[in-house]
mmCIF file of all heavy atoms in Angstrom:
data_model
loop_
_atom_site.group_PDB
_atom_site.id
_atom_site.type_symbol
_atom_site.label_atom_id
_atom_site.label_comp_id
_atom_site.label_asym_id
_atom_site.label_seq_id
_atom_site.Cartn_x
_atom_site.Cartn_y
_atom_site.Cartn_z
ATOM 1 N N LEU A 228 -10.806 -14.545 17.389
ATOM 2 C CA LEU A 228 -9.490 -13.935 17.248
ATOM 3 C C LEU A 228 -8.461 -14.999 16.867
ATOM 4 O O LEU A 228 -7.648 -14.795 15.956
ATOM 5 C CB LEU A 228 -9.084 -13.255 18.555
ATOM 6 C CG LEU A 228 -7.808 -12.421 18.466
ATOM 7 C CD1 LEU A 228 -7.935 -11.173 19.314
ATOM 8 C CD2 LEU A 228 -6.604 -13.214 18.875
ATOM 9 N N ARG A 231 -8.328 -15.951 13.233
ATOM 10 C CA ARG A 231 -7.629 -15.031 12.335
ATOM 11 C C ARG A 231 -6.165 -15.428 12.153
ATOM 12 O O ARG A 231 -5.543 -15.093 11.155
ATOM 13 C CB ARG A 231 -7.724 -13.601 12.856
ATOM 14 C CG ARG A 231 -9.135 -13.047 12.807
ATOM 15 C CD ARG A 231 -9.203 -11.611 13.264
ATOM 16 N NE ARG A 231 -8.435 -10.753 12.370
ATOM 17 C CZ ARG A 231 -7.976 -9.556 12.724
ATOM 18 N NH1 ARG A 231 -8.194 -9.094 13.939
ATOM 19 N NH2 ARG A 231 -7.290 -8.828 11.864
ATOM 20 N N PHE A 232 -5.593 -16.152 13.110
ATOM 21 C CA PHE A 232 -4.201 -16.597 13.025
ATOM 22 C C PHE A 232 -4.072 -17.949 12.336
ATOM 23 O O PHE A 232 -2.978 -18.344 11.956
ATOM 24 C CB PHE A 232 -3.580 -16.687 14.424
ATOM 25 C CG PHE A 232 -3.267 -15.355 15.028
ATOM 26 C CD1 PHE A 232 -4.199 -14.706 15.826
ATOM 27 C CD2 PHE A 232 -2.047 -14.745 14.810
ATOM 28 C CE1 PHE A 232 -3.908 -13.477 16.399
ATOM 29 C CE2 PHE A 232 -1.756 -13.508 15.373
ATOM 30 C CZ PHE A 232 -2.691 -12.870 16.171
ATOM 31 N N LEU A 250 -1.464 -18.189 22.098
ATOM 32 C CA LEU A 250 -0.987 -17.018 21.370
ATOM 33 C C LEU A 250 -0.175 -16.072 22.241
ATOM 34 O O LEU A 250 0.770 -15.438 21.765
ATOM 35 C CB LEU A 250 -2.158 -16.256 20.742
ATOM 36 C CG LEU A 250 -2.833 -16.924 19.565
ATOM 37 C CD1 LEU A 250 -4.078 -16.142 19.157
ATOM 38 C CD2 LEU A 250 -1.876 -17.051 18.396
ATOM 39 N N GLY A 251 -0.549 -15.954 23.502
ATOM 40 C CA GLY A 251 0.149 -15.021 24.386
ATOM 41 C C GLY A 251 0.084 -13.606 23.835
ATOM 42 O O GLY A 251 -0.931 -13.180 23.267
ATOM 43 N N PRO A 252 1.188 -12.849 23.940
ATOM 44 C CA PRO A 252 1.171 -11.461 23.481
ATOM 45 C C PRO A 252 1.035 -11.305 21.970
ATOM 46 O O PRO A 252 0.732 -10.220 21.491
ATOM 47 C CB PRO A 252 2.505 -10.897 23.971
ATOM 48 C CG PRO A 252 3.365 -12.058 24.255
ATOM 49 C CD PRO A 252 2.457 -13.211 24.581
ATOM 50 N N VAL A 253 1.216 -12.392 21.214
ATOM 51 C CA VAL A 253 1.043 -12.322 19.759
ATOM 52 C C VAL A 253 -0.391 -11.906 19.424
ATOM 53 O O VAL A 253 -0.637 -11.260 18.400
ATOM 54 C CB VAL A 253 1.405 -13.675 19.107
ATOM 55 C CG1 VAL A 253 1.030 -13.710 17.649
ATOM 56 C CG2 VAL A 253 2.893 -13.948 19.279
ATOM 57 N N ALA A 254 -1.338 -12.238 20.289
ATOM 58 C CA ALA A 254 -2.742 -11.874 20.059
ATOM 59 C C ALA A 254 -2.913 -10.363 19.933
ATOM 60 O O ALA A 254 -3.851 -9.894 19.276
ATOM 61 C CB ALA A 254 -3.618 -12.414 21.184
ATOM 62 N N LEU A 255 -2.003 -9.595 20.514
ATOM 63 C CA LEU A 255 -2.089 -8.136 20.437
ATOM 64 C C LEU A 255 -1.951 -7.626 19.007
ATOM 65 O O LEU A 255 -2.418 -6.530 18.692
ATOM 66 C CB LEU A 255 -1.024 -7.485 21.330
ATOM 67 C CG LEU A 255 -1.158 -7.774 22.825
ATOM 68 C CD1 LEU A 255 0.045 -7.220 23.582
ATOM 69 C CD2 LEU A 255 -2.456 -7.208 23.374
ATOM 70 N N LEU A 256 -1.328 -8.407 18.132
ATOM 71 C CA LEU A 256 -1.206 -8.002 16.726
ATOM 72 C C LEU A 256 -2.579 -7.813 16.082
ATOM 73 O O LEU A 256 -2.717 -7.021 15.148
ATOM 74 C CB LEU A 256 -0.425 -9.043 15.927
ATOM 75 C CG LEU A 256 1.067 -9.152 16.190
ATOM 76 C CD1 LEU A 256 1.642 -10.340 15.426
ATOM 77 C CD2 LEU A 256 1.767 -7.870 15.792
ATOM 78 N N ALA A 257 -3.579 -8.520 16.579
ATOM 79 C CA ALA A 257 -4.924 -8.420 16.006
ATOM 80 C C ALA A 257 -5.538 -7.044 16.242
ATOM 81 O O ALA A 257 -6.504 -6.677 15.568
ATOM 82 C CB ALA A 257 -5.828 -9.509 16.582
ATOM 83 N N ASP A 258 -4.962 -6.266 17.169
ATOM 84 C CA ASP A 258 -5.467 -4.917 17.434
ATOM 85 C C ASP A 258 -4.950 -3.888 16.427
ATOM 86 O O ASP A 258 -5.440 -2.763 16.380
ATOM 87 C CB ASP A 258 -5.073 -4.466 18.847
ATOM 88 C CG ASP A 258 -5.764 -5.270 19.933
ATOM 89 O OD1 ASP A 258 -6.834 -5.864 19.657
ATOM 90 O OD2 ASP A 258 -5.235 -5.321 21.059
ATOM 91 N N ILE A 259 -3.970 -4.253 15.637
ATOM 92 C CA ILE A 259 -3.410 -3.332 14.647
ATOM 93 C C ILE A 259 -4.353 -3.276 13.445
ATOM 94 O O ILE A 259 -4.756 -4.322 12.927
ATOM 95 C CB ILE A 259 -2.003 -3.790 14.205
ATOM 96 C CG1 ILE A 259 -1.064 -3.818 15.409
ATOM 97 C CG2 ILE A 259 -1.458 -2.874 13.109
ATOM 98 C CD1 ILE A 259 0.287 -4.445 15.120
ATOM 99 N N PRO A 260 -4.719 -2.083 12.990
ATOM 100 C CA PRO A 260 -5.614 -1.976 11.831
ATOM 101 C C PRO A 260 -5.046 -2.706 10.606
ATOM 102 O O PRO A 260 -3.842 -2.665 10.344
ATOM 103 C CB PRO A 260 -5.707 -0.467 11.575
ATOM 104 C CG PRO A 260 -5.354 0.161 12.888
ATOM 105 C CD PRO A 260 -4.356 -0.770 13.527
ATOM 106 N N VAL A 261 -5.926 -3.365 9.883
ATOM 107 C CA VAL A 261 -5.526 -4.168 8.724
ATOM 108 C C VAL A 261 -4.753 -3.338 7.705
ATOM 109 O O VAL A 261 -3.773 -3.809 7.119
ATOM 110 C CB VAL A 261 -6.775 -4.829 8.093
ATOM 111 C CG1 VAL A 261 -6.423 -5.510 6.786
ATOM 112 C CG2 VAL A 261 -7.384 -5.828 9.057
ATOM 113 N N LEU A 264 -1.204 -3.167 8.741
ATOM 114 C CA LEU A 264 -0.536 -4.452 8.538
ATOM 115 C C LEU A 264 -0.150 -4.619 7.075
ATOM 116 O O LEU A 264 0.980 -5.003 6.760
ATOM 117 C CB LEU A 264 -1.445 -5.606 8.966
ATOM 118 C CG LEU A 264 -1.755 -5.725 10.451
ATOM 119 C CD1 LEU A 264 -2.811 -6.795 10.684
ATOM 120 C CD2 LEU A 264 -0.497 -6.031 11.255
ATOM 121 N N PHE A 334 12.615 -13.970 13.931
ATOM 122 C CA PHE A 334 11.537 -13.364 14.716
ATOM 123 C C PHE A 334 10.764 -12.362 13.864
ATOM 124 O O PHE A 334 9.536 -12.348 13.864
ATOM 125 C CB PHE A 334 12.131 -12.678 15.956
ATOM 126 C CG PHE A 334 11.108 -11.969 16.803
ATOM 127 C CD1 PHE A 334 10.176 -12.678 17.528
ATOM 128 C CD2 PHE A 334 11.090 -10.587 16.848
ATOM 129 C CE1 PHE A 334 9.236 -12.021 18.307
ATOM 130 C CE2 PHE A 334 10.158 -9.925 17.622
ATOM 131 C CZ PHE A 334 9.224 -10.640 18.356
ATOM 132 N N GLN A 337 8.601 -14.218 11.463
ATOM 133 C CA GLN A 337 7.428 -14.791 12.128
ATOM 134 C C GLN A 337 6.360 -13.718 12.348
ATOM 135 O O GLN A 337 5.179 -13.960 12.103
ATOM 136 C CB GLN A 337 7.819 -15.417 13.474
ATOM 137 C CG GLN A 337 6.668 -16.093 14.187
ATOM 138 C CD GLN A 337 6.189 -17.334 13.468
ATOM 139 O OE1 GLN A 337 6.896 -18.324 13.385
ATOM 140 N NE2 GLN A 337 4.984 -17.301 12.933
ATOM 141 N N LEU A 338 6.770 -12.547 12.788
ATOM 142 C CA LEU A 338 5.809 -11.454 12.966
ATOM 143 C C LEU A 338 5.168 -11.062 11.637
ATOM 144 O O LEU A 338 3.958 -10.819 11.569
ATOM 145 C CB LEU A 338 6.487 -10.240 13.606
ATOM 146 C CG LEU A 338 6.788 -10.341 15.089
ATOM 147 C CD1 LEU A 338 7.530 -9.095 15.562
ATOM 148 C CD2 LEU A 338 5.522 -10.539 15.898
ATOM 149 N N ALA A 339 5.973 -11.006 10.593
ATOM 150 C CA ALA A 339 5.439 -10.664 9.271
ATOM 151 C C ALA A 339 4.453 -11.722 8.789
ATOM 152 O O ALA A 339 3.418 -11.393 8.196
ATOM 153 C CB ALA A 339 6.581 -10.506 8.262
ATOM 154 N N LEU A 340 4.739 -12.976 9.067
ATOM 155 C CA LEU A 340 3.838 -14.053 8.672
ATOM 156 C C LEU A 340 2.514 -13.955 9.426
ATOM 157 O O LEU A 340 1.439 -14.093 8.836
ATOM 158 C CB LEU A 340 4.512 -15.401 8.917
ATOM 159 C CG LEU A 340 3.879 -16.627 8.299
ATOM 160 C CD1 LEU A 340 3.739 -16.483 6.789
ATOM 161 C CD2 LEU A 340 4.720 -17.858 8.629
ATOM 162 N N TYR A 341 2.585 -13.698 10.735
ATOM 163 C CA TYR A 341 1.348 -13.484 11.507
ATOM 164 C C TYR A 341 0.576 -12.286 10.958
ATOM 165 O O TYR A 341 -0.644 -12.331 10.806
ATOM 166 C CB TYR A 341 1.657 -13.244 12.982
ATOM 167 C CG TYR A 341 2.001 -14.459 13.792
ATOM 168 C CD1 TYR A 341 3.028 -14.409 14.735
ATOM 169 C CD2 TYR A 341 1.319 -15.657 13.647
ATOM 170 C CE1 TYR A 341 3.353 -15.513 15.501
ATOM 171 C CE2 TYR A 341 1.635 -16.772 14.407
ATOM 172 C CZ TYR A 341 2.654 -16.688 15.333
ATOM 173 O OH TYR A 341 2.969 -17.783 16.097
ATOM 174 N N ALA A 342 1.288 -11.194 10.698
ATOM 175 C CA ALA A 342 0.635 -9.990 10.191
ATOM 176 C C ALA A 342 -0.020 -10.243 8.827
ATOM 177 O O ALA A 342 -1.104 -9.740 8.563
ATOM 178 C CB ALA A 342 1.641 -8.843 10.109
ATOM 179 N N LEU A 343 0.642 -11.038 7.987
ATOM 180 C CA LEU A 343 0.056 -11.381 6.682
ATOM 181 C C LEU A 343 -1.261 -12.140 6.860
ATOM 182 O O LEU A 343 -2.234 -11.868 6.185
ATOM 183 C CB LEU A 343 1.050 -12.210 5.867
ATOM 184 C CG LEU A 343 0.552 -12.700 4.515
ATOM 185 C CD1 LEU A 343 0.322 -11.516 3.572
ATOM 186 C CD2 LEU A 343 1.546 -13.676 3.909
ATOM 187 N N LEU A 345 -3.275 -12.000 9.414
ATOM 188 C CA LEU A 345 -4.282 -11.063 9.922
ATOM 189 C C LEU A 345 -4.745 -10.102 8.818
ATOM 190 O O LEU A 345 -5.914 -9.762 8.746
ATOM 191 C CB LEU A 345 -3.732 -10.290 11.108
ATOM 192 C CG LEU A 345 -3.471 -11.121 12.364
ATOM 193 C CD1 LEU A 345 -2.695 -10.305 13.381
ATOM 194 C CD2 LEU A 345 -4.776 -11.620 12.959
ATOM 195 N N ALA A 346 -3.820 -9.664 7.981
ATOM 196 C CA ALA A 346 -4.164 -8.741 6.897
ATOM 197 C C ALA A 346 -5.069 -9.412 5.865
ATOM 198 O O ALA A 346 -5.945 -8.772 5.286
ATOM 199 C CB ALA A 346 -2.898 -8.216 6.228
#
Side-chain angles (χ1 to χ4, degrees):
L228 188 143
R231 293 183 63 201
F232 286 92
L250 289 173
V253 171
L255 297 173
L256 289 174
D258 293 338
I259 299 172
V261 172
L264 293 172
F334 177 70
Q337 183 68 67
L338 285 177
L340 193 56
Y341 283 139
L343 177 66
L345 293 170

